[in-house]
Amino acid sequence: MIKRQQIKELLKSTAFDTEVTVMGWVRTFRNNQFIALNDGSCMGNIQVVVDFNNLPEELLKRITTGAAISATGKLVESLGKGQNVEIKATSVEILGDSDPEKFPLQPKKHSLEFLREIAHLRFRTNTFNAVFKVRHALAFAIHQFYNERGFVYMHTPVITASDAEGAGEMFKVTTLDFDNTPRTDDGKVDFSQDFFARATNLTVSGQLEGELAAMAFGQIYTFGPTFRAENSNTTRHLAEFWMIEPEVAFADLEDNMQLAEDMMKYVIKYALDNCKEELEFLNTRLAEEDKQKPQNERSEFGLLEKLDFCLANEFERLTYTEAIRILKSSKPNQKKQFKYLINEWGADLQSEHERYLVEKHFKKPVILTDYPADIKSFYMRQNEPDAEGRQTVAAMDILFPGIGEMIGGSQREERLDRLTKRMEDMNIPQDELWWYLDTRRFGSAPHAGFGLGFERLVLFVTGMTNIRDVIAFPRFPKNAEF
Ligand code: 4AD
Ligand code: MG
């Protein structure tokens, strides 16, 4: 068995003069004497002081940036600046060498773009240590939130035969031989000979299966990977991302909004309470990055201020129709500064519009509801037509400053006739979704749910600016490295 102490614990320890063993990766080695050692347990390094007179030259040469070592010695109070404790090493063992000529991480600031190219090593930087600790804490907080409220965690399938969003943005799953694809008489690919004897794809959302479970357990949530083959090369989109999808029976849109707001505040507070060191580091990081920008592009708030502000204020709630009114008469619309001008009711909102609403107009998270039916998914509950005869659905999108859409959800159409009519109109195959429709045939009830894009949450809480930096190995168009 390998015995070692975690650097995180030792940095807080006052057990001076006891013998300790640490194992980690060398960040720097100065003056043939001072090793800054990191083991990932925290962002901080412990200083290991070696006595170069008593260590073989050969060994000293192998203490290089990136090398894995084990060091044993006495924990002592540090006289040097910047640390309270250090280790006076009596022995050092090289566990894994790292050729300093080839190791790409130098003890200096690297750009995030460069680090993305070496994503397999970027965990070894303070920034990514902080980001992934926060990511972990947020995931844990989400489970805790739903567990405290008695929700059942469902694992919905990753491989499905349906398109939950009806948007056709799916990755196909097949074992067919592309060089010798079986064909039907009319020349189409013969999926009956495929692994599942039908066409299948990676899931875009666990919602449909989630609804089935909610109609038995009352309240469930999913937390799993989802896949979208949309060709969006942006700082907000991934082809593989994690989504949290609660679904609640006997709930309407109002309940849905409340659940979403409570959840967001709970998990942000959890991160603030449990990731102090990391968030302070990220706060400083963001502030320094901001200083490089021209005055008018700097953010009004620091990261911690922004998170606190989010906890302290109610999310603004308004309908799509009200939002259109605001956008229509907004300065950027009047002055034709929007790329997509808002001329009439029914327009789909682009991220420039969403950002105007949250960042310029309300300056806080906003919940938009009751969108036109035409721009939303088939499963959303149909409202009564408004005074002007326009058809809306009980949808909600939650928009966050700096992010845009954080959450998308709705009350579901629980009336079988309404639902099948809508599916017909939208060309959604009903025979494939017979099991989904069964919930409306047997004990249908009002229910609602939403999907939170986990990486967008991590983006918001860490203050990072590119979604590719908050998931370990991002998947996006033309990239599936690692
Ligand atoms: O709005 P979306 O497409 O909604 C659904 O999938 C519903 N089935 C959810 C539900 O009601 N149960 O996606 C939900 C959220 C978005 O608000 C966004 O945060 C995130 O998922 N999202 C993405 N995140 C990263 N990359 C992408 N390509 C994303 N597409 C959606
Ligand atoms: Mg959406």
Side-chain angles (χ1 to χ4, degrees), residues 364-435:
K364 59 173 173 169
V366 170
I367 312 184
L368 284 187
T369 61
D370 304 295
Y371 283 75
D374 285 348
I375 57 172
K376 287 291 184 187
S377 301
F378 69 94
Y379 51 70
M380 297 186 175
R381 192 175 199 280
Q382 296 155 44
N383 293 324
E384 289 315 307
D386 70 6
E388 292 169 48
R390 299 176 300 205
Q391 181 64 59
T392 58
V393 286
M396 64 169 202
D397 273 9
I398 305 192
L399 315 177
F400 262 64
I403 304 289
E405 183 187 333
M406 176 77 82
I407 284 177
S410 71
Q411 187 172 337
R412 317 306 188 190
E413 183 53 82
E414 83 282 14
R415 298 161 297 188
L416 182 65
D417 53 337
R418 295 271 198 133
L419 179 59
T420 49
K421 173 78 176 52
R422 185 97 204 282
M423 289 170 80
E424 227 163 80
D425 293 346
M426 294 177 73
N427 284 320
I428 308 281
Q430 292 179 40
D431 46 341
E432 275 174 27
L433 290 176
W434 62 274
W435 43 271

Side-chain angles (χ1 to χ4, degrees), residues 25-30 34-37 45 63-66 106-108:
W25 295 270
V26 175
R27 286 279 174 91
T28 57
F29 185 33
R30 281 188 301 119
F34 305 109
I35 305 172
L37 193 71
N45 308 321
I63 304 175
T64 56
T65 298
Q106 295 305 315
K108 62 161 199 175

Side-chain angles (χ1 to χ4, degrees), residues 165 205 207 228 230 238 245 405-408 412 450 453:
E165 289 301 301
S205 152
Q207 179 195 323
R228 305 236 170 139
E230 55 186 331
L238 289 164
E245 295 185 274
E405 183 187 333
M406 176 77 82
I407 284 177
R412 317 306 188 190
F450 61 81

